[in-house]
Amino acid sequence: SADEEGRNRTSTLERMKAGEMVNDILAILEWSGSDSRTLSALEQATKVVFYITEPNFIASAISNLDSHRNGGEDGQNSDGPVDMDALANDEMDLLQIDIHRAFRSMLDHATTSASPSLQRWATASLRHLITEDQRRACVFSSGPSRYISFTSQLVSSGGVMILCSLLGADDADIRAHATSALEAIVIATREIGMAVNKSPGKKGFYRAGRGTKDDSAIVDAIVSNGGCGNTLVHLLISADESVAMMGCAFASALISPLLTDPRGSGRTLQFCSSSAASGMGLDSKDDGLASYRNAALVLVVGSGSDDVAIRSDASCLPALIQILKSGLGQSWGGHSTRSMKLQVMAGECLAAISLAVGHIVCETAVNASHSMYGPLRRKAVRALEVMEQEQ
């Protein structure tokens, strides 16, 4: 009808105006200067991006639009929680914001020293941008409107390095936002990789739990830039439950494929051990889990030189063990009670570390003739010694 056509035209115009406003905000974020007026404008623009990319806000907006198209008014026909997977799949432009452009601006402002408040808001906004980037990359993983995730550029652009440097920031909120953003990047990259590479002809089959090439690169970058060092230890030993949970979640994100990916399972380790005991050769072909195993080693022995058995960082192992022991009572060394959820997460991290160390020790024993395995074996043996000391 004419009325419906008019409403659609009005809606289109409103969305075009909204897109122009968002572009103006992004333009402001590209200003340079350290005077108070410029910093104030940058902070306000950053807050706008933070709020309009908030996941619940976007989910609600898409749900309301979907309900309106199906005959409802203002989402009144929609009951219960919002299911993002069931929403309309043609809404990439509902929020007309250039995610890549916003990412670059936020990474720039996350390093500013002129305004701690601007730095704090920029770092916090990154988590929301990562979530929206993941939504677009998973929903629009193929076809003419395919969206390319910005996470594939985070290593080459220095984004991971910037966030790892913020783990040592003086401001506690900035450290927390940076940790949360790094965890989100690893998980989002893994989910995007599974969505993009899902098996054809098997609807909904995503090879769940497997690591991917892209998130392995992210994990390597985090490890090489000191993301598993002393800052993570401080999070794990914190008396604040939420802070310790954040540290455990971050550590788990780095090494969880060792538990969920069949290639890192106990059965694989059993085969590796049998090969070492029998003297049989072991296929040294990369199984895709080397990055996670290396991260697990670094959590135990730190990121010191591979050529010497030293640690430049404190080990995360004692903190993880203490969290697990906290629920076992005084006879097992427990002192303070931690939540069951935190204990389970710490236990999973310890299980993944055990699988990684065991696999590397066995693999390097079988392939001891290869010089490339020497430094890795020394590091794994040192990790095993630390684990024995902490029993």
Side-chain angles (χ1 to χ4, degrees), residues 281-303:
L282 182 68
D283 185 6
S284 60
K285 182 180 178 181
D286 182 18
D287 61 2
L289 298 176
S291 298
Y292 315 118
R293 293 192 182 105
N294 182 54
L297 282 183
V298 172
L299 288 175
V300 179
V301 300
S303 54

Side-chain angles (χ1 to χ4, degrees), residues 311-326:
R311 289 178 286 167
S312 60
D313 296 315
S315 173
C316 294
L317 192 68
L320 290 170
I321 291 175
Q322 284 304 315
I323 291 173
L324 189 61
K325 282 184 176 180
S326 66

Side-chain angles (χ1 to χ4, degrees), residues 49-51 53-55 58 124-133:
V49 173
F50 175 85
Y51 286 114
T53 56
E54 204 277 325
I58 294 175
S125 297
L126 287 170
R127 179 64 185 262
H128 289 176
L129 291 172
I130 293 163
T131 303
E132 174 62 10
D133 180 81

Side-chain angles (χ1 to χ4, degrees), residues 4 30 55 63 66 98 105 124 138 176-177 180 188 220 225 228 289 319 346 360 368 371 376 381:
E4 183 178 354
E30 293 170 348
S63 179
D66 193 49
D98 186 337
S105 294
C138 290
H177 293 317
S180 179
D220 283 336
N225 285 286
C228 301
L289 298 176
I360 293 173
S371 60
L376 184 62
V381 169

Side-chain angles (χ1 to χ4, degrees), residues 63-365:
S63 179
N64 288 338
L65 180 60
D66 193 49
S67 177
H68 179 73
R69 286 177 172 174
N70 291 329
E73 291 294 337
D74 299 325
Q76 293 178 1
N77 287 357
S78 177
D79 297 324
V82 177
D83 182 359
M84 288 297 293
D85 294 330
L87 298 177
N89 284 346
D90 59 347
E91 296 307 328
M92 180 163 64
D93 292 329
L94 174 69
L95 179 66
Q96 297 186 17
I97 179 173
D98 186 337
I99 295 294
H100 290 212
R101 185 181 177 187
F103 253 119
R104 286 187 283 268
S105 294
M106 293 305 166
L107 287 171
D108 285 341
H109 297 312
T111 60
T112 184
S113 58
S115 173
S117 180
L118 172 59
Q119 189 179 20
R120 193 178 301 119
W121 278 101
T123 311
S125 297
L126 287 170
R127 179 64 185 262
H128 289 176
L129 291 172
I130 293 163
T131 303
E132 174 62 10
D133 180 81
Q134 178 184 350
R135 183 188 73 85
R136 295 186 180 191
C138 290
V139 173
F140 303 95
S141 59
S142 60
S145 59
R146 181 185 178 189
Y147 174 81
I148 305 298
S149 171
F150 187 75
T151 57
S152 60
Q153 304 177 34
L154 282 171
V155 176
S156 59
S157 66
V160 172
M161 180 181 66
I162 290 172
L163 288 171
C164 285
S165 69
L166 293 176
L167 294 178
D170 294 332
D171 188 281
D173 289 335
I174 293 175
R175 293 198 301 270
H177 293 317
T179 303
S180 179
L182 284 170
E183 178 199 348
I185 288 169
V186 174
I187 294 174
T189 306
R190 194 170 294 152
E191 293 294 328
I192 292 169
M194 290 189 290
V196 172
N197 299 312
K198 60 183 178 181
S199 301
K202 296 184 178 181
K203 186 176 180 181
F205 183 70
Y206 287 76
R207 295 164 61 90
R210 288 182 178 264
T212 66
K213 181 179 179 180
D214 290 334
D215 77 89
S216 294
I218 297 289
V219 171
D220 283 336
I222 291 174
V223 170
S224 63
N225 285 286
C228 301
N230 294 325
T231 302
L232 180 54
V233 176
H234 292 155
L235 293 177
L236 293 172
I237 64 177
S238 173
D240 188 324
E241 186 83 1
S242 62
V243 174
M245 183 72 74
M246 182 192 308
C248 255
F250 178 44
S252 177
L254 297 176
I255 60 178
S256 61
L258 295 175
L259 295 178
T260 57
D261 192 317
R263 297 170 295 178
S265 66
R267 185 170 183 177
T268 303
L269 177 59
Q270 183 180 14
F271 172 73
C272 188
S273 302
S274 300
S275 299
S278 62
M280 294 172 54
L282 182 68
D283 185 6
S284 60
K285 182 180 178 181
D286 182 18
D287 61 2
L289 298 176
S291 298
Y292 315 118
R293 293 192 182 105
N294 182 54
L297 282 183
V298 172
L299 288 175
V300 179
V301 300
S303 54
S305 171
D306 290 339
D307 297 325
V308 289
I310 62 172
R311 289 178 286 167
S312 60
D313 296 315
S315 173
C316 294
L317 192 68
L320 290 170
I321 291 175
Q322 284 304 315
I323 291 173
L324 189 61
K325 282 184 176 180
S326 66
L328 300 178
Q330 296 290 337
S331 60
W332 288 86
H335 299 290
S336 60
T337 302
R338 297 280 197 168
S339 69
M340 181 61 69
K341 183 177 180 181
L342 180 57
Q343 292 175 44
V344 169
M345 196 172 294
E348 290 175 347
C349 289
L350 290 170
I353 289 172
S354 299
L355 284 174
V357 173
H359 182 98
I360 293 173
V361 169
C362 292
E363 182 182 39
T364 54

